[in-house]
Every structure is written in structure tokens, then in C-alpha cells.
Amino acid sequence: MIEKALTSADVEFVTTLHGEEQVSFHVLLQPRGEQADRLLRAIDDIALGELDDAVREGDTPEGDEAMTVGEKALEVSLAALRAAGAPAEGRLVDDHPLDALKGLVGEVGADEVIVLTDPHYVEEFFHRDWASRARHKVGVPVLKLFSHSKA
């Protein structure tokens, strides 16, 4: 589960996690504009020392515009995973991402879930981030990773 396009460092990281074992990826992307309110995102930016980003949170796409940005981010991410030699397919999530994740885990028989996002300190502190909540819902191990750099 991701919230923005994977960077090349992210792709290298997730495709090498299991060494030489062949893995396939089923990517769910919920655009960042849909997952948390602006205040929480701004607090995260401030906690990371990214004051300029905190000021620009109001410019983050929301609604239909976020979905269009999300479609592009998903396409880029899937192409990068495939270019790295990993079978990959994916879909956008516009509502209830953890329900979609649980459904996908059952549908494809996933062995584990990787949640790869920027840090979200407020949600993580209260264990309300995707990974913490998914651990109680999906029935398989959940690995929480932080994006290596800005997309």
C-alpha cells in the first residue's frame, strides 16, 4: 500500500527484500490528498523540519484531482516495479483503504503486506497509521517502510 509514486530507491528496496526469491506485487494506492486532513499533514511536515511543505499543504490535490494524480503515480510505480523484473499490478483506492487491503490479501493469497509511506508522526504516535491498523485487520504480517525520498 502506497500513497504516492514509488521512487527508484523505493523500488530497489522492496524488490530486494526477499533476496533471490521471486515475488509479485499487488499495489494499492490511495492518493495522499484523500488519506488525512491538511492539519495532520502539516504537523508531519513541521516535525520533519519541512516548513515550506507545511505551508503548501493547502495545494495538495483533493477529490477528483487527487485521483488523477494518483492514477499517474500508480502507472509510474507499476512500470518501475516491472522494469525491475517484478510482476506487478495495482489499483487506486478511493474509500476505506484497509477494507480494500484486506479484500486484496484474501483475493490474491498474499503472504505479507508492505505499507510504504512518508512518516506520519501523529498517526503513528496514536497507532492510527495504515500499518498499525492493518496488523489487526489483514491476517498476514505487515511490514512498515518509509519512502526513501520525495517523489
Side-chain angles (χ1 to χ4, degrees):
M1 177 167 270
I2 61 176
E3 63 187 357
K4 64 180 185 177
L6 296 174
T7 65
S8 58
D10 295 333
V11 170
E12 181 179 355
F13 191 47
V14 298
T15 57
T16 60
L17 278 173
H18 296 287
E20 297 298 316
E21 183 180 342
Q22 179 66 27
V23 297
S24 60
F25 293 90
H26 299 271
V27 180
L28 291 180
L29 184 144
Q30 183 178 34
R32 189 170 189 223
E34 296 289 0
Q35 82 171 36
D37 70 16
R38 289 180 184 152
L39 176 60
L40 291 177
R41 293 192 316 256
I43 291 170
D44 288 337
D45 292 335
I46 291 167
L48 290 168
E50 297 169 352
L51 300 179
D52 291 339
D53 289 345
V55 171
R56 287 191 293 269
E57 281 301 335
D59 298 335
T60 300
E62 303 272 342
D64 290 340
E65 186 181 350
M67 294 305 283
T68 301
V69 170
E71 288 169 354
K72 292 176 185 170
L74 182 60
E75 288 173 19
V76 166
S77 299
L78 294 175
L81 288 166
R82 292 174 186 141
E89 58 184 62
R91 60 182 93 143
L92 286 180
V93 177
D94 60 354
D95 198 24
H96 305 293
L98 295 176
D99 291 340
L101 182 61
K102 181 179 180 180
L104 181 63
V105 166
E107 178 185 322
V108 302
D111 295 323
E112 74 178 352
V113 167
I114 298 172
V115 176
L116 193 145
T117 66
D118 287 333
H120 297 292
Y121 295 115
V122 175
E123 290 96 337
E124 290 164 23
F125 180 79
F126 291 105
H127 303 285
R128 300 302 303 156
D129 58 295
W130 285 345
S132 296
R133 292 171 34 210
R135 287 186 181 107
H136 301 287
K137 190 162 190 129
V138 298
V140 297
V142 176
L143 180 60
K144 178 180 182 173
L145 302 174
F146 293 121
S147 181
H148 281 72
S149 61
K150 296 276 185 189

